[in-house]
Amino acid sequence: MSRYAALLDLFFPPKCPFCGKVLDHAGICPACEKALPWTEEGAGVRELSGGLQCAAPLWYEGKVREGLLRFKFQGARAAAGPLGELVARCAAERFSGAFDVVTWVPVSRRRLRSRGYDQARLLAESACRLWEVRPEQLLQKITDNPAQSGLTEEAARRANVLGVYEAAEPERIQGCRILLVDDICTTGATLAECARTLRDTGAADVMCVCAALARRPEKKP
């Protein structure tokens, strides 16, 4: 460990991203590791609109939801490390050998200025460090649309993201198999729109990985 890293750990010790417990090293505390709502075998990959596959290691509920909301909205940037490791492990298990470039779902410039960081980019960078590669910005958000979290109907969510992304490097996308990283998948409307943009630009394939999936509501009889 470098002197700089040691000083950071002294003044800003690593904490479990889900319960906030101070740890000896970055990661997840043993209690949360045991109790978190991990996606079951086979349930951790969801098919979204257009046949898009999305994998996630966790369900978006309880401590997972609380931790991801802190990461996304309350400045808990350090959570990107352990969360990125979960994303990397999940992608390796579900999509090993199926992708050759990694990108992320970008926030708008306005939201980046107000928040100070792009949480999906931090996740992608953290995951890629374990693979000793760098993620590439293949998308940019050109419209600062209302937050998806304020919409409940799936159709409204799809309409809200329609046309808000464009390819950042069209020539880099051609023929690539792309892993698209985001923090949370609820209805999948945002991921599906990003994947459509990438495919329309010439991507050979697109697959997604998130830190957590929202459970689908049970259908009423």
Side-chain angles (χ1 to χ4, degrees):
M1 180 184 291
S2 69
R3 174 181 286 184
Y4 178 69
L7 284 173
L8 282 179
D9 282 351
L10 177 63
F11 292 105
F12 305 99
K15 297 180 181 180
C16 174
F18 301 110
C19 70
K21 182 179 179 180
V22 175
L23 304 174
D24 294 332
H25 57 273
I28 300 171
C29 77
C32 285
E33 181 80 32
K34 183 177 181 180
L36 289 176
W38 302 97
T39 54
E40 304 85 1
E41 185 70 27
V45 179
R46 177 172 297 169
E47 184 170 317
L48 307 178
S49 175
L52 180 66
Q53 297 290 308
C54 180
L58 294 161
W59 292 116
Y60 183 56
E61 59 191 33
K63 285 186 176 181
V64 173
R65 183 178 184 276
E66 294 168 6
L68 284 171
L69 291 178
R70 284 194 297 271
F71 171 53
K72 188 168 185 172
F73 298 116
Q74 299 174 26
R77 299 175 59 162
L83 291 174
E85 289 187 23
L86 295 183
V87 164
R89 188 168 70 194
C90 180
E93 290 173 354
R94 306 293 188 177
F95 302 129
S96 179
F99 59 91
D100 42 43
V101 64
V102 181
T103 192
W104 64 90
V105 175
V107 297
S108 66
R109 291 181 181 179
R110 180 179 177 182
R111 198 157 297 170
L112 181 60
R113 286 195 301 269
S114 64
R115 190 175 296 170
Y117 60 95
D118 182 333
Q119 75 281 353
R121 180 172 189 163
L122 293 182
L123 282 181
E125 290 174 344
S126 175
C128 283
R129 275 194 292 270
L130 299 177
W131 300 326
E132 298 183 343
V133 298
R134 294 175 65 90
E136 300 184 33
Q137 183 166 5
L138 301 181
L139 292 166
Q140 56 189 6
K141 194 169 187 181
I142 57 175
T143 302
D144 186 38
N145 60 321
Q148 290 285 79
S149 57
L151 303 171
T152 56
E153 295 295 328
E154 189 169 343
R157 283 175 168 254
R158 288 197 302 268
N160 189 47
V161 295
L162 187 62
V164 304
Y165 300 96
E166 70 176 15
E169 293 189 56
E171 68 285 350
R172 182 67 184 94
I173 294 169
Q174 297 289 325
C176 282
R177 302 174 303 162
I178 299 169
L179 178 69
L180 179 63
V181 177
D182 204 4
D183 51 353
I184 304 159
C185 175
T186 49
T187 64
T190 298
L191 291 166
E193 178 63 14
C194 287
R196 183 193 66 78
T197 303
L198 292 168
R199 287 169 173 163
D200 287 353
T201 310
D205 198 9
V206 182
M207 61 220 69
C208 306
V209 64
C210 297
L213 279 172
R215 291 186 190 267
R216 284 176 170 160
E218 295 184 4
K219 293 183 179 180
K220 296 180 180 180

